[in-house]
Amino acid sequence: MIKMYDLAGADPEHRFSPYCWRVRLALAHKGLSVETIPWRYHEEKIAFSGQGFVPVLVDGDIVVSDSWRIARYLDEAYPKSKPPFTVAGSVAKSLFIKHWMGKVVHPVVSRVIIPEIIKQVHPLNRDYFRNTREQRFGMRLEDLSAERDKNLQSLHASFEVLRATLGEFQFLGGSEADFSDYLVFAAFQWARCVSQVKLFPEGDLLEPWLDRMLKMFDGMAQKARRYT
Amino acid sequence: MIKMYDLAGADPEHRFSPYCWRVRLALAHKGLSVETIPWRYHEEKIAFSGQGFVPVLVDGDIVVSDSWRIARYLDEAYPKSKPPFTVAGSVAKSLFIKHWMGKVVHPVVSRVIIPEIIKQVHPLNRDYFRNTREQRFGMRLEDLSAERDKNLQSLHASFEVLRATLGEFQFLGGSEADFSDYLVFAAFQWARCVSQVKLFPEGDLLEPWLDRMLKMFDGMAQKARRYT
């Protein structure tokens, strides 16, 4: 059985990391079962992977970290379980979308939801979480909260590229979801899991796509544990 | 023989429209010959297409406008000449990249090079060009010129997504160029054709990719007529 170390909040069943969500959706796409192992920032149990971040995938003797590298590994190791979703023709474009998420969308989503995430992390992680995030953004979490509306407006503008694409196609993968959909959806799932914050207004053109994603794989994402 | 109406400057052989470049590259990719017909803003010869913009492709009885729709048409009409470059799995992601260009990159590239383009358009078009562009941007072309450095900085930041992708793959199409490369390259070709303005600094990580694009199809883009 494949194992995956998965970021957990105070509640060990509370999983919201967008990077881990990418991998969970990728595994589901491949029809592969996984045992997820909760991990908090203060825990040393992923040291064997040679780095300090989740997701970490363990498949027999093979250890892979980083969601993009994990997706690439799964395509190579399990080519027959489903059509590969990161292969040539599509792969560089998926990577482009990944970088768009990483450089444009995630920094702003982070600013919006980090003041919510801190309420969900393990109490032992709160000081660590606050200190690292306040250092990263150069401001107190309370000040991040105060600029939420400005950040939501900036997200709204960034999402125009997605809206235009998903107004024409069911998925970024075309008629079926592929890894690029998971790359993007994972950020929405992240926000959904930690807060009531809506990243776009009611009736937004992204809603039907988000709904399709939530319902995939027997509602796996929709059923996920949310904030407490 | 396929015909394409192509935006021309004062010199009828001077072609720089990024949308027309997309189609020329797409035709070359398919191995299809084309007769390009110069068109200037004041000319009525594309009225038969039912709209007022180039590129307009004429293939026998078929008339198609809009570079994305032309690419889709070519994939359908000429599926055997080369692997289709806009098909499922890749198509929605190419569309995403198209929208990223349209919503993020082109507006800024325009601001940078429009004060150069006006020097290249047909003298009869200069008043029209100035008036429409000054209205679109809400400022005089001279003021656009004054904020060039600010716009180049903004472009530089947007290009991070491209740099990260093209640092890993030869092309957005993966190991071979596909339509998404043409979508992006066309903007660089646009700037290159109308001005000496470099959209990124010497030694930029995008340079090797740009060089590959310029050399494709026997140096077709590299040999193109530039500004006078």
Side-chain angles (χ1 to χ4, degrees):
Chain A
M1 169 88 83
I2 293 173
K3 293 180 187 176
M4 187 186 89
Y5 291 84
D6 191 7
L7 184 66
D11 172 356
E13 292 310 311
H14 188 216
R15 316 294 175 83
F16 47 82
S17 154
Y19 308 102
C20 294
W21 269 103
R22 290 175 180 184
V23 175
R24 286 186 61 192
L25 290 156
L27 289 161
H29 184 116
K30 293 279 180 188
L32 297 168
S33 299
V34 63
E35 178 194 339
T36 62
I37 302 165
W39 172 84
R40 282 76 163 252
Y41 301 109
H42 65 284
E43 294 175 337
E44 306 222 334
K45 55 186 164 186
I46 60 166
F48 72 93
S49 71
Q51 51 86 61
F53 304 96
V54 290
V56 171
L57 189 94
V58 181
D59 187 11
D61 292 338
I62 293 167
V63 176
V64 192
S65 56
D66 180 90
S67 64
W68 179 254
R69 288 201 293 123
I70 291 170
R72 299 285 285 148
Y73 165 75
L74 293 174
D75 254 356
E76 277 171 39
Y78 301 94
K80 284 172 188 159
S81 61
K82 270 273 187 171
F85 50 23
T86 64
V87 295
S90 195
V91 60
K93 288 187 271 294
S94 291
L95 183 65
F96 179 92
I97 292 171
K98 172 190 173 283
H99 287 306
W100 180 72
M101 290 301 292
K103 293 175 189 297
V104 178
V105 177
H106 273 215
V108 189
V109 173
S110 297
R111 286 166 179 267
V112 170
I113 66 175
I114 273 173
E116 308 299 319
I117 297 176
I118 196 167
K119 301 175 194 162
Q120 304 296 324
V121 300
H122 194 282
L124 279 177
N125 297 160
R126 293 209 176 127
D127 284 347
Y128 161 80
F129 190 86
R130 175 179 283 275
N131 294 338
T132 51
R133 271 50 182 180
E134 292 190 340
Q135 191 163 11
R136 181 186 304 169
F137 293 109
M139 64 175 82
R140 288 175 46 77
L141 297 193
E142 290 69 18
D143 297 328
L144 271 185
S145 294
E147 58 172 45
R148 180 197 278 188
D149 285 351
K150 189 196 79 176
N151 286 320
L152 284 173
Q153 275 171 30
S154 156
L155 271 184
H156 200 264
S158 299
F159 288 162
E160 270 304 304
V161 180
L162 273 183
R163 281 186 199 98
T165 308
L166 293 169
E168 189 154 336
F169 286 95
Q170 294 274 300
F171 298 102
L172 293 172
S175 55
E176 291 186 45
D178 77 2
F179 189 63
S180 58
D181 292 280
Y182 308 153
L183 284 170
V184 175
F185 172 71
F188 292 95
Q189 180 72 350
W190 183 23
R192 189 178 176 276
C193 283
V194 297
S195 73
Q196 297 194 57
V197 175
K198 302 269 188 226
L199 298 184
F200 51 71
E202 204 82 32
D204 193 279
L205 283 171
L206 291 175
E207 223 160 48
W209 169 80
L210 191 72
D211 202 51
R212 283 193 285 279
M213 297 305 296
L214 283 165
K215 289 182 172 141
M216 283 184 79
F217 310 123
D218 201 26
M220 183 175 90
Q222 196 156 39
K223 291 177 195 161
R225 188 74 55 96
R226 296 186 68 187
Y227 53 88
T228 48
Chain B
M1 167 88 82
I2 293 172
K3 292 180 188 178
M4 186 187 90
Y5 291 84
D6 191 7
L7 184 66
D11 172 357
E13 291 310 310
H14 188 217
R15 316 293 175 84
F16 47 82
S17 154
Y19 308 103
C20 294
W21 269 104
R22 290 176 180 184
V23 175
R24 286 186 61 192
L25 289 156
L27 289 162
H29 184 115
K30 293 279 182 186
L32 297 168
S33 299
V34 64
E35 178 195 340
T36 62
I37 301 165
W39 172 85
R40 282 77 164 250
Y41 301 108
H42 65 283
E43 294 176 338
E44 307 222 334
K45 55 187 164 185
I46 60 167
F48 71 94
S49 71
Q51 51 86 60
F53 305 95
V54 291
V56 172
L57 189 94
V58 182
D59 188 11
D61 292 338
I62 293 166
V63 176
V64 192
S65 56
D66 181 89
S67 64
W68 179 255
R69 288 200 294 121
I70 290 170
R72 299 285 285 149
Y73 164 75
L74 292 174
D75 255 356
E76 276 170 40
Y78 300 95
K80 284 171 187 162
S81 61
K82 270 271 188 172
F85 51 24
T86 62
V87 296
S90 195
V91 60
K93 289 187 270 296
S94 291
L95 184 64
F96 178 92
I97 292 172
K98 171 189 173 284
H99 288 305
W100 179 72
M101 289 301 292
K103 293 175 189 297
V104 178
V105 177
H106 273 214
V108 189
V109 173
S110 296
R111 286 165 179 267
V112 170
I113 67 174
I114 274 175
E116 308 299 319
I117 297 176
I118 197 168
K119 302 175 195 163
Q120 303 296 323
V121 300
H122 194 283
L124 279 176
N125 297 160
R126 292 209 176 126
D127 284 346
Y128 162 79
F129 190 85
R130 174 179 284 275
N131 294 337
T132 52
R133 271 49 183 181
E134 292 190 340
Q135 190 162 12
R136 179 186 305 169
F137 293 109
M139 64 177 81
R140 289 175 46 76
L141 297 193
E142 291 70 18
D143 297 328
L144 271 185
S145 292
E147 57 172 47
R148 179 197 280 188
D149 285 352
K150 191 196 78 176
N151 286 320
L152 284 173
Q153 276 170 30
S154 156
L155 272 185
H156 200 265
S158 299
F159 288 161
E160 270 305 304
V161 179
L162 272 184
R163 280 186 200 98
T165 307
L166 293 170
E168 190 153 336
F169 287 95
Q170 292 275 300
F171 298 102
L172 294 171
S175 55
E176 291 186 44
D178 76 3
F179 189 62
S180 58
D181 292 280
Y182 309 153
L183 284 170
V184 176
F185 172 71
F188 292 95
Q189 181 72 351
W190 183 23
R192 187 177 178 278
C193 283
V194 296
S195 72
Q196 297 193 57
V197 175
K198 301 269 188 225
L199 298 183
F200 51 72
E202 204 82 32
D204 193 280
L205 282 171
L206 291 176
E207 222 161 48
W209 168 81
L210 191 73
D211 202 52
R212 284 193 285 280
M213 297 304 297
L214 283 166
K215 289 183 172 140
M216 283 185 78
F217 311 123
D218 199 26
M220 182 175 89
Q222 195 158 40
K223 291 177 195 162
R225 188 75 55 94
R226 296 185 68 188
Y227 53 89
T228 50

